[in-house]
Amino acid sequence: MSPRRNRPKAAGSPGPSAEDDRTGRYGGWQATEDWQGEEWSVRHVAGASAEGKTYRCPGCDQLIPSAVPHVVAWPEHAGVDDRRHWHKACWNAKDRRTTRVQRSRNAPKF
């Protein structure tokens, strides 16, 4: 098997730019995204920096296990106190998701 070739990317290629690649405390890159009319800070967290911690994803309401890479997002105006931890797939699908209604086992399904 031949080694992988690292070729320089074209100047107009999509993806995170060098300005967005600000490594922070968690070892991932951080960017700003527009969602629901607000600016959100989005940081990709490496799994190693999340070891020993579990979080609940607001997108699917499931636990993000320890040492799993995920996304941390918070509104720009609110600051880091309002940050939420999302699965990467849930963050990418946030516009396609609807709110889930929690019903009891005996409730009618209509």
Side-chain angles (χ1 to χ4, degrees):
M1 180 182 273
S2 53
R4 185 176 140 204
R5 296 179 190 209
N6 291 325
R7 295 185 181 141
K9 292 183 179 180
S13 67
S17 67
E19 294 175 8
D20 290 340
D21 192 16
R22 293 171 278 179
T23 56
R25 174 178 166 194
Y26 300 105
W29 60 270
Q30 182 173 335
T32 303
E33 293 184 23
D34 186 44
W35 181 46
Q36 295 180 341
E38 292 184 85
E39 290 290 319
W40 286 69
S41 291
V42 180
R43 180 178 292 158
H44 292 259
V45 178
S49 60
E51 194 166 341
K53 303 172 191 171
T54 58
Y55 303 101
R56 184 161 302 273
C57 175
C60 65
D61 201 33
Q62 299 294 315
L63 286 178
I64 301 173
S66 173
V68 171
H70 60 278
V71 173
V72 179
W74 65 92
E76 281 281 324
H77 67 86
V80 295
D81 291 337
D82 290 330
R83 62 186 169 205
R84 297 293 174 255
H85 297 254
W86 296 68
H87 292 105
K88 287 183 181 182
C90 294
W91 178 255
N92 292 336
K94 64 190 173 295
D95 293 326
R96 296 186 304 267
R97 292 187 177 272
T98 60
T99 57
R100 297 188 183 214
V101 178
Q102 300 275 334
R103 295 185 180 92
S104 69
R105 185 175 285 179
N106 299 327
K109 297 187 180 193
F110 54 87

